[in-house]
Amino acid sequence: MAELDPLSPGSEPRPGGLSRRDPHDSMRLWANLVLFHLGTLLVGTSWWFGGQSEGARLAILIWGSLGIPLFFAIWGRQRASGAGFASPWRHLWPLLIFDALVLISVFNPSTRLVMYEGEQLVVHTDPRWPWLPSSARPDLTLRELWQFNIIVISCFNAFLALRHRRLLRRLLALLAANALLLAIFGTLQKLIGAKGIWLGAVKTPQPYFFSTFVYHNHWGAFTVLNVTICLGLLFHALRRGGHRDFWHSPVLLGAVAIAFMAATAPLSGSRSTTVLMLFVLAIAVAQFLGHVVRSRRAHHESVLLPVTGIVLAFALTLGGAGYLSRDVIIARTELTARQLERIRTEDTMNSRLTLYRDTWEMAARKPVYGWGLETYGDVFRIFNSQRVPERWIGAPHYREAHNDWLQALAEVGFAGTGALLLLGLAPLWGVWRLRSDSRLPIQLLLGCGIVLLYAWVEFPFANPAVMMLFWTSLYVAAAYARLDRGRSAPAP
């Protein structure tokens, strides 16, 4: 039986078997266009080095820009038909504030570039209007702002146009299938000992890559989000039921896919995301055990056998992942031991903590508006204490702060960072207090929360694929919760 949207007045039959015309029928074309545009954008970016190449970023700017006219077309169509939800600006007003702050900074430069002994250096100058936002690199700021808007608006189109749960699940299923293919491809590369991406055809600047991603920690964040998507779909299948038994349901296939994707975290060599993945899986197993226990007790059946089987399957999965990744785990364990020993014997703080301290000093110098979006790599040279004074060559050069929160404060200040936080909270306003009929949005928000915590020690949002998946998960979770709210609302 087809699923009906509770917010669609056309779902109520007329006498005589005739039904009123669903006002959302005219939106189906736009919904399909959003599915195609966002799906191809996410899948293409993930396979093209996660968006971390000049060609991939140019493709994002070109293809992703179609999301902007698509947004205005859908908004205009909804206003004309009267079938839309609340105005999209109710959720996007923080983006307007963020854009205004950044655009002002573009026209108020605060630095200039000079050449010194063959090296490009940043020289600080006073901006024309010191009380307004300023940018140290207006060219980079403008390009990064355009890319950010493309990603956010393209992902928001799913919240705006996808009015049925099945369409939202279809999008999530596409993303999960794509992640599984990437995981299989990455595992194949590891097993054959490829020295670069695309089976060794593309060399990487550092050895810790996985699948099509240049940096293994970015792959880890990407996989954490995808595993929570799969968990949401799995719990939806469990709740929906209608299967002969567990062995003849999509739940088993989903569990195998989750186990395979989760195993790539240690296989990639990412220590931090391996810990995060274990945390996600432990929560999922506890939830699944609770579901099984409640179901068995409701039918007055023993819980010992299924609980034992689930715990054993989880242990075997961890053991299999550990065996497959044993060489990588041994190498990373030895590296961790050496790093800990170096930290213990050194008189000064290790380089990562020093990096954070210097980044905070950079942010504290311009706390309100920051130095400008995407200016960290150039401006941080001024604050980098891990170099000999008056000597730049040979000093460690950081393009990223390895802490997205600190880098946001350094680049856009407390004003810009606050606008970004409000942008993430805006779609959840009004639905976060309502209990959802499904665990799917809860799982999606769990993945988003974990990546936000991970951003305190790494820079996942520097990867366009991770950023797209984050905003897609957030907006799909909000859209699903909104539909649940409509279904649970009492009839007038």
Side-chain angles (χ1 to χ4, degrees), residues 107 142 163 166 220 239 246 287 314 350 403 412 416 420 463:
F107 297 99
L142 192 59
R163 301 297 191 83
R166 64 178 180 274
R239 178 181 175 274
F246 175 80
Q287 292 173 334
F314 183 57
N350 65 72
N403 184 317
V412 294
L420 292 176
N463 182 275

Side-chain angles (χ1 to χ4, degrees), residues 54-68:
E54 285 302 316
R57 290 184 182 275
L58 180 60
I60 292 171
L61 292 176
I62 295 173
W63 181 245
S65 294
L66 295 177
I68 305 293

Side-chain angles (χ1 to χ4, degrees), residues 110 316 481:
S110 62
L316 290 175

Side-chain angles (χ1 to χ4, degrees), residues 61 98-99 102-107 135-150 372-375:
L61 292 176
F98 181 78
D99 287 350
V102 176
L103 283 175
I104 292 173
S105 73
V106 170
F107 297 99
S135 173
R137 290 293 305 273
D139 55 333
L140 298 180
T141 295
L142 192 59
R143 175 169 175 158
E144 186 67 17
L145 178 66
W146 183 244
Q147 178 181 281
F148 179 74
N149 276 265
I150 284 171
L373 186 64
E374 196 61 13
T375 62

Side-chain angles (χ1 to χ4, degrees), residues 188-255:
L188 175 64
Q189 284 189 148
K190 280 291 183 180
L191 292 179
I192 66 173
K195 301 301 182 182
I197 298 175
W198 291 109
L199 304 178
V202 179
K203 301 300 180 183
T204 60
Q206 48 89 21
Y208 295 111
F209 65 92
F210 191 84
S211 189
T212 58
F213 282 64
V214 178
Y215 187 41
H216 62 321
N217 283 340
H218 287 162
W219 166 259
F222 182 78
T223 306
V224 166
L225 287 169
N226 278 296
V227 165
T228 55
I229 288 174
C230 290
L231 287 171
L233 294 173
L234 184 146
F235 283 116
H236 169 78
L238 276 175
R239 178 181 175 274
R240 188 173 185 178
H243 318 296
R244 187 171 67 182
D245 53 38
F246 175 80
W247 305 105
H248 297 83
S249 73
V251 176
L252 179 61
L253 178 62

